[in-house]
Amino acid sequence: MKNAIFYFIIFPFLGFINALRNYRATWAKPTVIAFVAFFGLSMVKNNTSDSMRYVQNLEKMYASSKGFDTIQEGLYSGEGGQTDIYVTLVTYVFSIFTDNGNILFLFFGLIFGYFYANNIWLVLSESVGKLDWRQHLLLASFSLIVGFWTVNGVRMWTAAHVFFYGGFLYLFHGRKKGMFIAATSIFIHFSFMLPVGLLLIYTLIRVNYRFLYIFYIASFFIAELNVEFIKTALEANLPEFMMPKVKTYFNEQYFEGYEEATVVVNWYVLYYKRILTYFTVAFLSAVFFKGNITPLVKKLLGFSLLFLAVANILSLLPSGGRFLNVAFLFSLATCFIVVSTNRVPAISKSFKFLSPLLFLFCIISIRLSLDYFNVTTFTNPIIAFFSDVNEPIIEFIR
């Protein structure tokens, strides 16, 4: 812990790098948590990033009265309301004494970093000794799916790591508290009612993982989704306070705006997730047909297949594809455990053949992260607090 505090004060980024190099050291995990907290403080928060909206909400709350009405408006208003308890309550508490968005994101980064680091070490704990190149590559890919820079979109991606943490504890370690932890993700982002519901269904209804594999493969052949049917079903069953969000995600302007946005982004933004899909479907197929896996791994694999199938279908909706990232956390964790424990030659050969896809995914993910790295990210909290630089580091590289 002393190392983590030292690195946080002097040079958090160097601490992060050294923690990755000394991943078995007791100080490595708290050092990563400290770095992610610092990253929240120092990262780019400009008009093109989601984080600016949270900063503006803080400033608005700071300037307003601190009554219950302020919280209620933040939770359930149709215009910009979150319908998510975590961000609104935390923002309200910080607005009592500051309007500094960097301080707010220092806390958001701390919470995000706690689950982010714990998830990495949860997966890492399923290996013994020094990692080989395959395990390094899989763990790197796992850590980049919902990387620490996604604290920019604090609600969705904090919820993703909380859900994985609880879901993995419950499915693979049989710890009942994992279900409770996974369920708390709903209070961070309301849409996690879906994955929590899937986890409950998977637990209550035992479905053979062979059927789930067929369902996963079939999900790639669904060419059209009846959006109006889904909208009607949601409006009939969801609580009233969630209706503004349903109307937002399903109106025609939102669909058109989403389609226009996908046209203007770089090719690698559109295709890097598909690269991970190609790897996942190919390697999980090899595991399904050739792997000699334990009942616990089958249980984790089964939920991964179910989640991936549903996420594939949802990806036909605007913003629905975000759930693929959450599902990939489970599938990559499964792949890591299989590679770490399985000695079947066909599995090893399959991974070697598919590994270039993961290398490419990692390279693209690191490139995307540079949109949120600030120059001050390579300094320390003292400099970051007094700096007014707010430009992505990629602007200085180009």
Side-chain angles (χ1 to χ4, degrees), residues 296-325:
L296 272 179
V297 176
K298 282 184 181 179
K299 189 176 182 181
L300 190 61
L301 174 61
F303 181 72
S304 300
L305 293 170
L306 173 64
F307 201 173
L308 285 166
V310 173
N312 275 344
I313 297 169
L314 287 176
S315 65
L316 298 172
L317 293 171
S319 297
R322 294 182 297 179
F323 282 113
L324 270 174
N325 287 34

Side-chain angles (χ1 to χ4, degrees), residues 125-312:
S125 66
E126 300 306 318
S127 64
V128 178
K130 188 176 180 180
L131 301 181
D132 63 25
W133 71 271
R134 301 171 305 160
Q135 293 167 306
H136 274 296
L137 181 57
L138 278 166
L139 199 61
S141 301
F142 174 85
S143 66
L144 293 172
I145 293 169
V146 184
F148 56 83
W149 59 90
T150 62
V151 70
N152 171 67
V154 60
R155 296 184 303 128
M156 180 71 190
W157 304 121
T158 303
H161 277 295
V162 171
F163 178 76
F164 176 84
Y165 182 69
F168 190 87
L169 285 178
Y170 181 74
L171 290 168
F172 198 73
H173 292 280
R175 298 171 67 177
K176 293 182 180 179
K177 76 170 186 177
M179 179 65 79
F180 171 78
I181 294 171
T184 61
S185 63
I186 296 172
F187 299 106
I188 303 173
H189 199 287
F190 80 100
S191 66
F192 273 76
M193 289 190 300
L194 174 67
V196 170
L198 287 178
L199 186 58
L200 282 171
I201 291 170
Y202 182 74
T203 301
L204 297 174
I205 304 174
R206 294 189 177 183
V207 182
N208 189 289
Y209 87 108
R210 292 180 177 83
F211 172 81
L212 294 172
Y213 174 77
I214 295 170
F215 178 42
Y216 172 49
I217 299 300
S219 68
F220 288 100
F221 298 93
I222 297 176
E224 187 174 340
L225 195 64
N226 191 326
V227 175
E228 192 60 36
F229 173 79
I230 294 177
K231 179 183 176 183
T232 302
L234 290 175
E235 289 177 339
N237 294 285
L238 288 179
E240 183 62 31
F241 69 84
M242 291 185 176
M243 289 304 104
K245 286 293 183 182
V246 173
K247 292 176 181 177
T248 297
Y249 286 127
F250 284 87
N251 69 43
E252 292 182 5
Q253 288 77 16
Y254 186 83
F255 272 75
E256 292 171 1
Y258 182 83
E259 290 173 356
E260 290 173 4
T262 58
V263 172
V264 300
V265 297
N266 291 321
W267 67 269
Y268 49 79
V269 177
L270 293 175
Y271 290 100
Y272 88 109
K273 197 180 298 183
R274 294 186 188 180
I275 293 169
L276 201 54
T277 296
Y278 300 149
F279 170 83
T280 301
V281 67
F283 189 71
L284 290 186
S285 294
V287 172
F288 178 80
F289 288 108
K290 299 292 185 179
N292 181 20
I293 55 178
T294 66
L296 272 179
V297 176
K298 282 184 181 179
K299 189 176 182 181
L300 190 61
L301 174 61
F303 181 72
S304 300
L305 293 170
L306 173 64
F307 201 173
L308 285 166
V310 173
N312 275 344

Side-chain angles (χ1 to χ4, degrees), residues 86-108:
Y86 167 66
V87 164
T88 301
L89 290 183
V90 169
T91 304
Y92 174 79
V93 170
F94 276 81
S95 73
I96 295 173
F97 58 87
T98 186
D99 63 350
N100 190 322
N102 290 337
I103 296 176
L104 176 66
F105 267 86
L106 174 67
F107 180 82
F108 283 150

